[in-house]
Amino acid sequence: MYSGGYTGKVLRVNLTDKTFTEEALPEDVAQDFIGGSGFTVKYLYDLVPPDCDPLGPDNKLIFAPGPFTGTTIPCASRMAVNAKSPATGAMGVATTGGHFPVEMKRAGYDVMIIEGKAEEPTYLWIKGGEVKFRSAKDLWGLPTMDTQLMIKDELHDQNIRVCCIGPAGEKLSYMACIVNERRVAGRKGLGAVMGSKNLKAIALRGDLQMDIADHDKYDVARKRMREGMRKSPILYPEFSRYGTSTTLDLTQALGIYPTKNWTATGVFTPAEKIGGYAIEALGTGRTACAGCPVGCSQLRLAKEPPYAGFFTEGPEYETLYSFGGVTGVDNPDAIIAADRISDELGLDTMSAGVTIAFAMELFERGILTLEDTGGMDLHFGNDVSMIQLLHLMGVRKGLGDILADGTRVAARKIGKGSEKYALHVKGLELPAYDVRGAKAHGLNFATAFTGADHNKGYAFQEIFGIPIPYAVDRFAIEGKGALTMWTQDARCALADSPTMCVFLMDMAVADFMFDNTADLMEATTGLKYTPEEVHRVGERINNLARVFNTRAGLTRADDDLPERLKTEPIPEGPSKGQMISQVDLDFMLDEYYDARGWTRDGIPTRAKLEELHMGYAADDLGI
Amino acid sequence: MYSGGYTGKVLRVNLTDKTFTEEALPEDVAQDFIGGSGFTVKYLYDLVPPDCDPLGPDNKLIFAPGPFTGTTIPCASRMAVNAKSPATGAMGVATTGGHFPVEMKRAGYDVMIIEGKAEEPTYLWIKGGEVKFRSAKDLWGLPTMDTQLMIKDELHDQNIRVCCIGPAGEKLSYMACIVNERRVAGRKGLGAVMGSKNLKAIALRGDLQMDIADHDKYDVARKRMREGMRKSPILYPEFSRYGTSTTLDLTQALGIYPTKNWTATGVFTPAEKIGGYAIEALGTGRTACAGCPVGCSQLRLAKEPPYAGFFTEGPEYETLYSFGGVTGVDNPDAIIAADRISDELGLDTMSAGVTIAFAMELFERGILTLEDTGGMDLHFGNDVSMIQLLHLMGVRKGLGDILADGTRVAARKIGKGSEKYALHVKGLELPAYDVRGAKAHGLNFATAFTGADHNKGYAFQEIFGIPIPYAVDRFAIEGKGALTMWTQDARCALADSPTMCVFLMDMAVADFMFDNTADLMEATTGLKYTPEEVHRVGERINNLARVFNTRAGLTRADDDLPERLKTEPIPEGPSKGQMISQVDLDFMLDEYYDARGWTRDGIPTRAKLEELHMGYAADDLGI
């Protein structure tokens, strides 16, 4: 039996009936899925029909921190959120940090499952084993920071932690996210799922202290982790000083910082204006998730009109891409403003920016006219129009309504060949790595179970040159199948399930992460793992999610990349001439499926699923 | 000796030396000045040279709640703040509510005196009798809501209460205010005084409970007050449902809602778009100051682009004037946005709006050109330009730099006869009552010791028809001298010193306010007053402030009204033809000075000052 780390309780809340129940966390679920991402994948698989309408009452919203969350293990204050994604039609696991995840554990729960649909706008108030269903009528339409503040005031408790949606979630935007404090469970439209349930927010408060199974083992493993962190040149001083922002300087140097809707990578070079070293001047301190000694969250303040006074936690590298390079904007103040506005509206910065870049390319090509834009000049680089359009997307007005569900839906609505310029995989917009010059990233974008998601399998080997588990050539096609499987499984097993910040996994500590996670799991929970078994948990999660997606109708054909990447080489710079042809992609996919033990159609086999103790999933597939 | 209500402690903080001391609150100060506004006037008088530079190190910033604050007396959670005002050169008392004032009492202080100037941006952290001087370098430039949140996070205590300045205060704008929660100590540039001291914020926390001198008396007086409140048709349902917003409907009906920089009062009729009944549709609940059963603070949310999602506590009537009628704007969403943006920048909404209206008239008249405005179309009613200009004023850029100190300073800088369109008294912009049709308001604007300040002597007799102390004809000149003295003294004695929300004084409870305040003072503090002695405290405060102002160089010539009001009658509507000629004004001033027992030059006499136990003030005047 597990004996620490878990609260042992799963909370199920039914919004239709205004009821809730508590269930025990089964031992085998804990052993096989660890927590966090693993738990949300397992529960979603078990409880949600794969063919359901993502915005209908059959979809469920599932929250799970991990067994490390709420302990003194550093950088463990994270949780996963999952639902069937309206953006992709696939599983939509997102993760977030901050303080809410720890508070959820303190409030007593390893997993929260939100079911049904409230009749009227509602928020949940969870404390002391009670769930109250409170009216959110007065909160409907509010931006996310105000929502959190108003709930604290209304409940007369400033120590409450809240996650919520903004206007974008209420209006069911496919790029709506769930916001807690200044952090988000982003992409994939989980905010729209929450909005579809008329659920504005979840407020919770607790005081439970986490037990530890074996204090001696725990101290040793924890110390080893902290020592590893201290040695990391990337955590200190890089991340604690710059956050992720200097990744821009690095990717631009590698020629893979995508600009102007991926037409000009390597040509347009904004690092000197919006790169990490440039925007350090706009820094005004930093903050950290609960229990994190790194504090990578840089706080930045816009200095010049019309953006002076906009303050944000960020912008992270991905946002320096989505509201920077990919839109052609090189005004750091505008990016700071767009970052904050997105957080307030509850819009994902990445999907929003890439979708605006898409609209900009359509405008440049004359597919969208001034009449379509309501008079906005949408040429690349127009930051004022970018901000205007962002507002319109958040509240679904005018052109913003057409764009609010991302490039795939917008291209369908706009027609006129615009799909060609829609840069997404499975409906999820491309992250900030021009994968034509970093092929494993391309394979991950094509195959990650959530769509084009750098947070499901990040090949740091190609970017930072870290040779774990082995060194790779970023331009090479060969060898990327096994690597992508490794990055995807490691991410689930080491970061998103226990839970643990991914920045530890990518860095110098990576070389002992499987060992140490096994040690920490035993020390914390009493559950025993070999390093290989930890790794296997990651594989299990990826396989179960793949079965769900297969049953939801996704096939090898969906493991694709946008046409542009397959036909247009990078025009200039250190990655000049690189692309991923259909032949290249097929080669990589075959390699990947082979490594996974799946069919060449990308379907998990009964042998693989049984090996992972998931014969039931093979039954469900009818194989 | 006082025995309850007061903490008995005065905190003096020296920012230059980073030292602090505690002094006892003297018995005679308590007896003669009650608290709040009275205390700040007395301490400023005693400690600040009247000829000092308001933005120099000799000026002091003084905070004082009253003896009722922190007790269970309803609507008493207010405080006064005072300093020599950079806008007027006179005393600059402002009051604010919310939760900070109660927390200040709980932290142990009746008065806080902030002296000197910090070398670098600093904030104070006050708890348990200790004052910590903490760096505010990382907070410099932040908007006010973020400032409050960041301090709570930094100090790891979400229950802290904070008052702070925004960018406007840092940049020494004469219309910068001090913000706590979503409330402000507004007008008169107290935020600039705080900024001149490099003081970004004051954070405090306490747990002191207020003693009550006589519980039986207290219960009787408090019950009487609550019963009076319940009978008031204005508090319930009017204020609890609409806040102050329906005053617009009333003043427009009276023809005294000033529009388009006071050129079109009675002509432009926006009540149907931005009046209290119109904007009820944008309401999203309400909130209250600590211990207030009325909850007049309406929360409102902008619904349409480009303002959708802006959320504010307000706009109050004065803001519905300053960003509404006086600028010619009739878009309620724009007013909500401007209200919130002002709070975030730490700009006073009234002075900001009237100053923008001034710029708009100059633009209409060709005195300001598109070149001067940086391309902004500043015609009356252009809400987008209004918001743009507001931003520029908050950070002092472009035309915003010229306007950031209000109409008087801006007219001097712009020249070209623009002073004629600058609607201020003593450098403070006119509030939302066209005094040409409500003469006592005009006399108060001319004589209030803080400049054109409706919050220093509001003749509700003229607006609401309440015949206390006697009925008046709003158009009449005669009889307004004594009335204005009464409203000014009553305000100080009943509302701003004990402290008590002014809305109680203006309403149905007014008929027993002097009696009941005397009873409540004795019950709470043990200090004995007749109703006449309470009234006399108000007179004392107004006299002492007048002596300070006289010594600061202000004369009868400063008790003036803008030229427009003296020469242009109201053009249309129920107050058509009304104005206040110089002859009228002189008549009213003579009446007022006579009522006050001052010379016809507006200088307090030795006899009056000695009658008020302030012979020392006569000595200081050399009379």
Side-chain angles (χ1 to χ4, degrees):
Chain A
M1 271 296 288
Y2 55 81
S3 53
Y6 299 110
T7 68
K9 285 186 187 166
V10 176
L11 176 68
R12 288 181 74 155
V13 178
N14 189 308
L15 290 165
T16 308
D17 305 340
K18 297 193 182 184
T19 58
F20 67 95
T21 54
E22 288 183 356
E23 301 171 0
L25 175 72
E27 170 93 6
D28 59 338
V29 171
Q31 179 80 51
D32 285 352
F33 291 92
I34 289 183
S37 183
F39 283 1
T40 70
V41 167
K42 172 62 174 164
Y43 275 94
L44 195 79
Y45 184 91
D46 285 349
L47 300 177
V48 171
D51 59 352
C52 77
D53 172 4
L55 299 181
D58 289 343
N59 202 1
K60 299 183 202 298
L61 196 57
I62 302 178
F63 297 75
F68 295 176
T69 312
T71 71
T72 59
I73 297 172
C75 309
S77 59
R78 295 187 65 81
M79 69 177 177
V81 191
N82 197 3
K84 183 176 176 183
S85 160
T88 64
M91 276 212 189
V93 176
T95 60
T96 181
H99 293 81
F100 185 94
V102 171
E103 202 68 26
M104 180 176 154
K105 288 289 288 287
R106 288 199 180 131
Y109 302 108
D110 294 317
V111 183
M112 281 196 305
I113 302 166
I114 313 292
E115 318 181 291
K117 178 180 177 175
E119 209 170 312
E120 299 208 310
T122 296
Y123 76 89
L124 300 177
W125 170 214
I126 300 174
K127 185 184 176 185
E130 287 293 314
V131 179
K132 296 202 171 106
F133 299 78
R134 295 183 59 99
S135 171
K137 266 183 159 171
D138 282 344
L139 301 171
W140 212 246
L142 258 64
T144 59
M145 290 301 289
D146 286 324
T147 299
Q148 296 178 61
L149 294 174
M150 293 311 297
I151 289 176
K152 290 178 184 186
D153 283 354
E154 182 171 309
L155 298 175
H156 301 291
D157 185 344
Q158 298 297 315
N159 289 300
I160 287 168
R161 296 293 179 177
V162 179
C163 74
C164 66
I165 57 173
E170 298 168 14
K171 292 182 182 294
L172 311 182
S173 159
Y174 287 10
M175 58 181 76
C177 46
I178 298 173
V179 180
N180 60 296
E181 299 123 62
R182 299 178 190 280
R183 299 195 148 258
V184 307
R187 320 215 66 205
K188 292 150 296 202
L190 296 175
V193 177
M194 198 155 153
S196 75
K197 297 185 176 307
N198 267 329
L199 183 63
K200 178 69 177 175
I202 301 172
L204 43 81
R205 180 82 197 273
D207 52 14
L208 193 68
Q209 295 292 321
M210 288 303 114
D211 283 337
I212 296 301
D214 184 330
H215 285 272
D216 292 338
K217 258 199 206 326
Y218 180 83
D219 290 345
V220 171
R222 188 169 160 272
K223 193 175 163 201
R224 185 181 176 208
M225 163 143 287
R226 291 194 67 116
E227 279 168 2
M229 288 173 66
R230 269 195 292 276
K231 283 183 205 151
S232 158
I234 299 179
L235 294 179
Y236 311 105
E238 194 70 14
F239 269 54
S240 66
R241 180 163 175 182
Y242 300 107
T244 54
S245 63
T246 51
T247 308
L248 194 161
D249 302 82
L250 179 56
T251 55
Q252 182 165 297
L254 297 174
I256 56 169
Y257 174 67
T259 53
K260 297 186 179 173
N261 207 35
W262 297 55
T263 59
T265 301
V267 179
F268 175 68
T269 55
E272 61 185 28
K273 290 187 178 168
I274 61 170
Y277 304 107
I279 65 168
E280 191 187 9
L282 302 177
T284 176
R286 63 197 175 98
T287 186
C289 297
C292 171
V294 179
C296 74
S297 279
Q298 306 302 314
L299 300 163
R300 296 193 182 92
L301 178 67
K303 296 279 167 65
E304 294 297 324
Y307 308 113
F310 270 103
F311 174 70
T312 198
E313 185 173 330
E316 301 294 339
Y317 168 58
E318 288 289 341
T319 305
L320 291 168
Y321 147 77
S322 63
F323 293 126
V326 80
T327 57
V329 168
D330 62 4
N331 176 346
D333 287 339
I335 301 172
I336 287 171
D339 190 33
R340 177 62 180 264
I341 291 165
S342 299
D343 287 351
E344 294 287 6
L345 295 170
L347 274 177
D348 181 73
T349 62
M350 295 169 61
S351 296
V354 175
T355 302
I356 291 170
F358 162 73
M360 284 174 161
E361 183 165 0
L362 298 189
F363 186 81
E364 299 240 350
R365 293 181 179 277
I367 298 173
L368 286 178
T369 65
L370 279 174
E371 195 180 342
D372 297 319
T373 68
M376 277 181 291
D377 171 352
L378 278 187
H379 281 102
F380 283 125
N382 189 327
D383 54 293
V384 171
S385 295
M386 175 178 81
I387 300 274
Q388 267 187 286
L389 189 49
L390 183 62
H391 270 295
L392 292 174
M393 288 163 68
V395 296
R396 285 200 103 111
K397 298 273 183 179
L399 181 60
D401 183 32
I402 292 167
L403 298 176
D405 296 327
T407 56
R408 179 162 72 174
V409 173
R412 279 184 200 147
K413 289 180 177 172
I414 294 167
K416 303 178 188 171
S418 58
E419 169 63 26
K420 195 172 160 190
Y421 313 109
L423 298 180
H424 67 86
V425 176
K426 302 183 178 71
L428 195 69
E429 282 66 34
L430 297 184
Y433 297 86
D434 194 325
V435 299
R436 290 172 292 189
K439 304 291 198 294
H441 285 260
L443 182 56
N444 175 60
F445 288 2
T447 60
F449 69 80
T450 47
D453 188 346
H454 70 300
N455 272 328
K456 287 292 170 293
Y458 184 95
F460 52 84
Q461 300 82 356
E462 289 183 338
I463 308 300
F464 297 97
I466 301 169
I468 298 169
Y470 48 81
V472 296
D473 170 3
R474 66 187 171 97
F475 293 154
I477 293 296
E478 298 77 18
K480 299 299 169 75
L483 179 70
T484 297
M485 173 181 165
W486 188 93
T487 61
Q488 291 174 345
D489 292 349
R491 169 85 197 205
C492 282
L494 302 179
D496 295 351
S497 297
T499 57
M500 179 71 74
C501 177
V502 70
F503 294 154
L504 272 61
M505 179 194 139
D506 292 350
M507 305 305 152
V509 288
D511 61 346
F512 62 84
M513 280 294 285
F514 286 106
D515 304 87
N516 215 51
T517 300
D519 290 350
L520 279 173
M521 277 302 290
E522 184 174 347
T524 305
T525 70
L527 297 173
K528 290 187 171 50
Y529 296 84
T530 63
E532 294 68 31
E533 284 165 345
V534 168
H535 204 147
R536 189 52 67 101
V537 170
E539 189 180 6
R540 185 174 295 120
I541 295 166
N542 274 288
N543 273 267
L544 193 60
R546 182 76 180 190
V547 174
F548 180 92
N549 289 355
T550 301
R551 295 174 67 210
L554 295 170
T555 68
R556 175 175 175 138
D558 297 294
D559 291 349
D560 201 2
L561 290 172
E563 197 60 23
R564 169 163 286 161
L565 280 57
K566 295 192 284 188
T567 56
E568 298 174 21
I570 292 178
E572 287 282 355
S575 296
K576 182 178 176 176
Q578 291 293 319
M579 62 176 214
I580 299 177
S581 69
Q582 186 63 51
V583 172
D584 293 340
L585 178 59
D586 282 331
F587 179 90
M588 291 200 294
L589 285 175
D590 287 345
E591 225 189 47
Y592 173 78
Y593 297 147
D594 290 353
R596 284 229 170 267
W598 296 349
T599 71
R600 285 277 173 104
D601 289 330
I603 298 172
T605 59
R606 175 169 284 276
K608 172 54 71 177
L609 293 171
E610 286 184 344
E611 179 193 319
L612 294 168
H613 315 304
M614 299 192 297
Y616 60 86
D619 297 342
D620 292 335
L621 279 174
I623 56 174
Chain B
M1 272 297 288
Y2 56 79
S3 53
Y6 299 109
T7 67
K9 286 187 187 167
V10 175
L11 176 68
R12 289 182 71 154
V13 178
N14 189 308
L15 290 164
T16 309
D17 305 341
K18 295 193 183 182
T19 58
F20 67 95
T21 55
E22 288 182 358
E23 300 171 1
L25 174 71
E27 171 91 6
D28 59 339
V29 172
Q31 179 80 49
D32 287 353
F33 292 91
I34 289 183
S37 183
F39 283 1
T40 70
V41 167
K42 172 62 174 164
Y43 275 95
L44 195 78
Y45 184 90
D46 285 350
L47 300 176
V48 171
D51 59 351
C52 77
D53 172 5
L55 299 181
D58 289 342
N59 201 0
K60 298 184 202 302
L61 196 58
I62 303 179
F63 297 75
F68 295 176
T69 313
T71 71
T72 58
I73 297 172
C75 308
S77 59
R78 296 186 65 83
M79 69 176 176
V81 191
N82 198 2
K84 183 177 174 182
S85 160
T88 64
M91 277 213 189
V93 176
T95 60
T96 181
H99 293 80
F100 185 94
V102 171
E103 201 70 25
M104 180 175 153
K105 288 290 287 288
R106 288 199 180 131
Y109 302 108
D110 293 316
V111 183
M112 282 196 306
I113 302 166
I114 313 294
E115 319 182 291
K117 177 180 176 173
E119 209 169 313
E120 298 206 310
T122 296
Y123 75 91
L124 300 177
W125 169 212
I126 300 173
K127 185 184 176 186
E130 289 291 316
V131 178
K132 297 205 169 105
F133 299 78
R134 296 182 59 98
S135 171
K137 267 183 158 170
D138 283 343
L139 301 172
W140 212 246
L142 258 63
T144 60
M145 289 301 290
D146 286 326
T147 299
Q148 297 178 61
L149 295 174
M150 292 312 296
I151 288 176
K152 290 178 185 187
D153 283 354
E154 183 173 308
L155 298 175
H156 301 292
D157 185 346
Q158 298 297 315
N159 289 301
I160 287 168
R161 296 293 178 176
V162 179
C163 74
C164 66
I165 56 173
E170 298 168 14
K171 292 184 183 292
L172 311 181
S173 159
Y174 287 9
M175 59 181 78
C177 45
I178 299 173
V179 180
N180 59 294
E181 300 123 63
R182 297 178 192 279
R183 300 197 147 254
V184 308
R187 322 218 62 206
K188 293 152 295 205
L190 296 174
V193 177
M194 198 155 154
S196 75
K197 297 183 175 308
N198 267 327
L199 182 63
K200 178 70 176 175
I202 302 172
L204 42 80
R205 180 82 196 271
D207 51 15
L208 193 67
Q209 295 292 321
M210 288 304 114
D211 281 337
I212 297 301
D214 184 331
H215 284 273
D216 291 339
K217 260 197 207 325
Y218 180 83
D219 289 345
V220 171
R222 186 170 161 272
K223 193 177 165 200
R224 186 180 175 208
M225 162 144 286
R226 291 195 69 118
E227 279 169 1
M229 289 174 64
R230 269 195 291 275
K231 283 183 204 150
S232 159
I234 300 180
L235 294 178
Y236 312 104
E238 194 70 15
F239 270 54
S240 67
R241 180 163 175 185
Y242 300 107
T244 55
S245 64
T246 50
T247 308
L248 194 161
D249 302 82
L250 179 56
T251 54
Q252 182 166 297
L254 297 174
I256 56 169
Y257 175 66
T259 52
K260 297 187 178 170
N261 207 37
W262 296 54
T263 59
T265 301
V267 179
F268 175 66
T269 53
E272 62 184 27
K273 289 187 178 167
I274 61 170
Y277 304 108
I279 66 170
E280 192 187 9
L282 302 176
T284 175
R286 62 196 177 101
T287 185
C289 297
C292 172
V294 179
C296 75
S297 278
Q298 305 302 315
L299 301 163
R300 297 194 182 91
L301 178 67
K303 296 276 167 67
E304 293 299 323
Y307 307 113
F310 270 103
F311 173 70
T312 198
E313 185 174 328
E316 301 295 339
Y317 168 57
E318 289 289 340
T319 305
L320 291 169
Y321 147 77
S322 63
F323 293 127
V326 81
T327 56
V329 167
D330 62 4
N331 176 346
D333 287 340
I335 301 172
I336 288 171
D339 189 35
R340 177 60 180 264
I341 290 165
S342 298
D343 288 351
E344 294 287 5
L345 295 170
L347 274 178
D348 180 72
T349 61
M350 295 169 61
S351 296
V354 176
T355 303
I356 291 169
F358 162 74
M360 285 175 161
E361 183 165 1
L362 298 188
F363 186 81
E364 299 242 350
R365 292 180 179 279
I367 297 173
L368 285 178
T369 64
L370 278 172
E371 195 179 341
D372 298 319
T373 67
M376 275 181 291
D377 171 351
L378 277 186
H379 281 100
F380 283 125
N382 189 327
D383 54 291
V384 171
S385 294
M386 174 179 82
I387 299 273
Q388 265 187 288
L389 189 49
L390 183 65
H391 270 294
L392 292 174
M393 287 163 69
V395 298
R396 285 199 102 111
K397 297 273 183 182
L399 180 60
D401 184 30
I402 291 167
L403 298 176
D405 297 327
T407 56
R408 179 161 73 174
V409 172
R412 280 185 199 146
K413 289 181 178 170
I414 294 166
K416 303 181 188 170
S418 59
E419 169 64 25
K420 196 174 158 190
Y421 313 109
L423 298 180
H424 66 87
V425 175
K426 301 183 177 76
L428 195 68
E429 283 65 34
L430 298 185
Y433 296 86
D434 194 325
V435 300
R436 291 173 290 189
K439 305 290 198 296
H441 285 261
L443 182 56
N444 175 61
F445 288 3
T447 60
F449 69 80
T450 46
D453 189 346
H454 70 299
N455 271 329
K456 287 292 170 294
Y458 183 96
F460 52 85
Q461 299 82 356
E462 289 184 339
I463 308 301
F464 296 98
I466 301 170
I468 298 172
Y470 48 81
V472 296
D473 170 3
R474 65 186 172 99
F475 293 154
I477 295 296
E478 298 77 17
K480 298 299 168 73
L483 180 70
T484 298
M485 174 179 163
W486 187 93
T487 60
Q488 291 174 347
D489 292 349
R491 170 84 197 207
C492 281
L494 303 180
D496 295 351
S497 297
T499 58
M500 178 73 73
C501 178
V502 71
F503 294 154
L504 271 60
M505 180 193 135
D506 293 350
M507 305 304 152
V509 287
D511 61 346
F512 62 86
M513 279 295 284
F514 286 105
D515 304 87
N516 214 53
T517 299
D519 290 348
L520 278 173
M521 277 303 289
E522 183 174 348
T524 306
T525 69
L527 297 173
K528 291 188 170 48
Y529 297 84
T530 62
E532 294 69 32
E533 284 165 346
V534 168
H535 203 148
R536 191 51 68 100
V537 170
E539 189 181 6
R540 186 174 292 121
I541 296 166
N542 274 288
N543 273 268
L544 194 60
R546 183 76 180 190
V547 174
F548 180 93
N549 289 355
T550 301
R551 296 174 68 208
L554 295 170
T555 68
R556 175 174 175 139
D558 296 296
D559 291 348
D560 201 3
L561 289 173
E563 197 60 23
R564 168 162 288 159
L565 280 58
K566 296 191 284 188
T567 57
E568 298 175 20
I570 293 179
E572 288 279 356
S575 297
K576 182 176 175 179
Q578 291 292 319
M579 64 174 212
I580 300 177
S581 69
Q582 185 64 51
V583 172
D584 294 339
L585 179 59
D586 281 332
F587 178 89
M588 290 200 294
L589 285 175
D590 288 344
E591 226 190 46
Y592 173 79
Y593 297 147
D594 291 351
R596 282 229 172 268
W598 296 351
T599 71
R600 285 278 172 104
D601 290 331
I603 299 173
T605 59
R606 174 169 286 275
K608 173 54 72 179
L609 293 170
E610 286 184 345
E611 178 194 320
L612 295 167
H613 315 304
M614 299 192 297
Y616 60 87
D619 298 343
D620 292 336
L621 280 174
I623 54 173

